[in-house]
């Protein structure tokens, strides 16, 4: 997560925010952001999402070797597919406006489903 320091007023927690919950606020267009260090309300400006994913070549190779040992040539294909499973590293860019009218950008690693849920929460 990047930008988490704006999500809390707790001075000790500002550099330690790494998980958040986004909930419907008290009024339309507002969200409540909860962290381990408390909660704050923001005006929800917008959200965007950038899809990323990565595969581990090392895990794919290990899966292929184990698949071959256990099940022969067909196990090689299955083992590589299982070992090289794609990890979702997509990012949501959430734009929030504080009580002073300042817009803040918060980067949160999330899935497409989580992005969709967050984008609907404020309205």
């Amino acid at each position: 997560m990047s930008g988490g320091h704006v999500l809390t007023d707790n001075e000790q927690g500002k550099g330690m925010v790494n998980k958040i919950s986004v909930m419907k606020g008290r009024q339309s267009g507002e969200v409540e952001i909860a962290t381990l260090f408390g909660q704050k309300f923001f005006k929800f400006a917008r959200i965007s999402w950038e899809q990323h994913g990565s595969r581990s070549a090392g895990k794919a190779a290990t899966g292929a070797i184990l698949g071959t040992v256990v099940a022969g040539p067909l196990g090689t294909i299955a083992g590589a597919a299982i070992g090289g499973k794609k990890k979702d590293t997509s990012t949501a860019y959430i734009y929030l406006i504080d009580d002073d009218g300042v817009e803040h950008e918060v980067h949160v690693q999330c899935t497409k489903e989580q992005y969709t849920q967050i984008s609907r929460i404020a309205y």
Side-chain angles (χ1 to χ4, degrees):
M1 172 185 297
S2 172
H5 64 283
V6 301
L7 304 177
T8 181
D9 290 330
N10 181 310
E11 288 302 319
Q12 292 82 16
K14 284 193 180 286
M16 298 172 57
V17 173
N18 61 4
K19 291 186 180 183
I20 64 170
S21 292
V22 182
M23 298 165 281
K24 190 168 190 61
R26 302 167 288 201
Q27 55 193 356
S28 180
E30 183 182 66
V31 292
E32 178 182 358
I33 307 290
T35 71
L36 291 174
F37 305 98
Q39 70 271 352
K40 279 180 88 171
F41 291 89
F42 293 90
K43 187 88 171 159
F44 184 81
R46 65 190 183 285
I47 185 171
S48 62
W49 188 68
E50 192 171 295
Q51 184 174 8
H52 290 288
S54 62
R55 294 188 190 276
S56 170
K59 287 183 181 179
T62 302
I65 292 167
L66 289 174
T68 302
V69 170
V70 174
L74 292 177
T76 302
I77 297 167
I82 293 168
K85 186 177 176 187
K86 190 172 184 178
K87 180 181 177 188
D88 190 356
T89 58
S90 300
T91 303
Y93 300 91
I94 305 172
Y95 299 88
L96 304 168
I97 301 171
D98 66 18
D99 290 337
D100 297 326
V102 177
E103 185 176 86
H104 302 280
E105 180 178 337
V106 179
H107 303 183
V108 180
Q109 188 175 351
C110 69
T111 65
K112 179 72 171 174
E113 293 79 27
Q114 290 168 324
Y115 160 77
T116 302
Q117 290 174 347
I118 293 169
S119 64
R120 293 180 183 160
I121 257 175
Y123 304 102

